[in-house]
Amino acid sequence: MLVVHLPMPEDSMDPALAALGEFGLIDRIRERIRHRSPGTVLGIGDDAAILWLEPGQELLATTDMLLEGVHFKREWGCFHALGRKALSVNVSDIAAMGGRPLHALLGLGIPAAGVTLAEVEALLAGLEAEAETWGITLAGGDTCGSQSGLVLSVTLLGAAPAGRAVRRSGAHPGNALWVTGCLGGSAAGLLALEMGLRPGAAWPPHVLRPDWLGPEEEGAIQSAVRAHLTPAPRLAAGQALAGCATAMIDLSDGLASDVGHLCRESRVGAQLLARLLPIHPGATAMGRWTGQDALDLALRGGEDYELLFASETDPSPILASRAPGVAVTRIGEVRAGPPIATLTGAEGRTDVLTGGFDHFRRGK
Ligand code: ADP
Ligand code: MG
């Protein structure tokens, strides 16, 4: 591709990375690749990958970007986790369709300064580890110098039996609304990261910790940090739910906003009960510490990558057998009416649910 932007200032780049060059780095990526998913006819090395899909399957395609300064900070130093997350947030989208992930394409923008070859290698190792977990083959991508920070864009291709992928649009009045796992952990983990906590490490000495913070709360906050850095996509749960969910969405922007997407696509309303929401214990602890409302972290924090779905029947038995260990909670129900979600608080007052993350508004 012809590039018209300014050349990379090579002298500020990590010498090992500059010596390797774009094509050397692509070779490194290629050397790492293990073909794991069925249907990779031709992987990295040509102008396009050749992929094959079994008859009777439909192709699922999804992309998510991770941008430095928007989704992560380079100074957190968590490059392995970043590689994993770049893929796992896409796996979460395939999970929300009840599909199987197969092939990934990686768009990589590497900034001129401040990223070392070792860090890029850690990032690729993380991506590979995640690919191995889910049986995904990295089938191609693009590598560029970036003038504006580290950029990771993953496209994930997957499959579902024709006509069987679960959409956002099938919820019916009377269906119950359910959510997997717990909410607010990722937002709480982000707060802790911003306050200086790093995964598996003690708080830095300058952070004054409240008296009530005991080992249990510390453990919950560390688990929240993990939830933010390395979210666990609910793939087995999503696939198990393909037979019983009438509509499904993964929670990336926050329940408050994502339940609205499900309502609009299904042309229904929703009523949620605050006392039923499974709040991550790390959100409870960080909320108490920082004065933020834990319920607000659970509703509007985003990036929990749990599944929200509507179902006519109780999904617990099928989840217990096909996705053991994944908790599921009934949080409300689908109602006939305008595509609005309401939340009934502990004190019994019902309000229209607003907020959640919007990249163009930056508001909650
Ligand atoms: P082209 O200029 O034809 O797009 P490239 O030189 O960009 O080709 O890429 C060469 C090969 O390396 C292609 O098969 C491409 O898919 C693969 N590739 C490039 N960058 C990456 C990356 N970051 N991850 C995986 N594969 C990559
Ligand atoms: Mg290219």
Side-chain angles (χ1 to χ4, degrees):
M1 185 199 294
L2 182 66
V3 281
V4 290
H5 58 64
L6 295 169
M8 296 274 281
E10 262 174 48
D11 49 349
S12 57
M13 184 172 243
D14 172 38
L17 205 46
L20 194 61
E22 174 190 339
F23 298 108
L25 182 61
I26 295 174
D27 285 342
R28 286 271 172 106
I29 295 174
R30 192 174 179 178
E31 282 158 19
R32 289 181 167 277
I33 297 311
R34 303 276 169 276
H35 291 279
R36 311 191 170 87
S37 50
T40 313
V41 180
L42 184 65
I44 292 176
D46 216 306
D47 292 310
I50 305 176
L51 309 172
W52 180 84
L53 202 59
E54 291 155 49
Q57 300 279 307
E58 281 172 338
L59 185 65
L60 308 177
T62 181
T63 295
D64 262 316
M65 293 198 282
L66 291 186
L67 306 180
E68 179 179 348
V70 177
H71 299 97
F72 65 92
K73 290 194 172 154
R74 218 190 297 174
E75 63 259 28
W76 293 346
C78 302
F79 289 88
H80 190 275
L82 198 58
R84 286 186 58 188
K85 185 168 178 177
L87 190 54
S88 62
V89 297
N90 284 281
V91 173
S92 177
D93 282 317
I94 298 291
M97 305 297 289
R100 280 180 300 141
L102 294 171
H103 312 281
L105 301 168
L106 169 65
L108 200 52
I110 301 196
V115 175
T116 65
L117 177 58
E119 288 164 343
V120 175
E121 296 265 22
L123 194 154
L124 294 169
L127 192 118
E128 266 297 283
E130 198 69 14
E132 181 173 13
T133 302
W134 308 113
I136 294 165
T137 302
L138 184 60
D142 197 25
T143 306
C144 294
S146 164
Q147 304 277 340
S148 53
L150 186 57
V151 176
L152 283 155
S153 173
V154 170
T155 297
L156 184 58
L157 304 175
R164 300 289 302 279
V166 186
R167 305 176 184 206
R168 296 177 177 182
S169 57
H172 295 293
N175 287 170
L177 283 167
W178 303 77
V179 71
T180 59
C182 49
L183 307 177
S186 180
L190 177 58
L191 282 175
L193 279 163
E194 298 274 39
M195 284 164 60
L197 188 65
R198 294 293 171 263
W203 284 95
H206 70 268
V207 177
L208 293 176
R209 280 166 293 151
D211 309 336
W212 53 263
L213 198 77
E216 198 175 318
E217 288 81 12
E218 294 270 20
I221 294 170
Q222 276 291 344
S223 138
V225 169
R226 286 194 299 276
H228 184 77
L229 290 175
T230 49
R234 300 299 192 186
L235 188 63
Q239 291 169 349
L241 290 165
C244 87
T246 53
M248 185 151 59
I249 184 171
D250 72 319
L251 296 178
S252 53
D253 298 329
L255 177 64
S257 156
D258 290 323
V259 69
H261 298 315
L262 190 139
C263 286
R264 273 188 295 282
E265 294 303 318
S266 291
R267 298 163 188 265
V268 293
Q271 196 199 359
L272 306 183
L273 295 173
R275 67 179 166 79
L276 298 181
L277 296 185
I279 296 180
H280 192 290
T284 308
M286 287 308 294
R288 185 172 173 197
W289 187 347
T290 63
Q292 299 206 42
D293 183 6
L295 179 65
D296 193 56
L297 294 176
L299 286 169
R300 301 185 181 85
E303 291 212 280
D304 283 316
Y305 298 103
E306 297 294 348
L307 297 173
L308 168 73
F309 59 96
S311 177
E312 232 166 76
T313 54
D314 183 349
S316 312
I318 188 139
L319 283 178
S321 74
R322 293 195 41 202
V326 176
V328 64
T329 310
R330 191 186 156 149
I331 60 168
E333 72 168 17
V334 177
R335 294 272 171 94
I340 287 167
T342 60
L343 180 76
T344 304
E347 71 298 336
R349 210 182 73 195
T350 298
D351 290 304
V352 171
L353 195 51
T354 56
F357 193 76
D358 181 322
H359 274 275
F360 290 169
R361 295 201 183 127
R362 317 243 34 155
K364 298 258 159 153

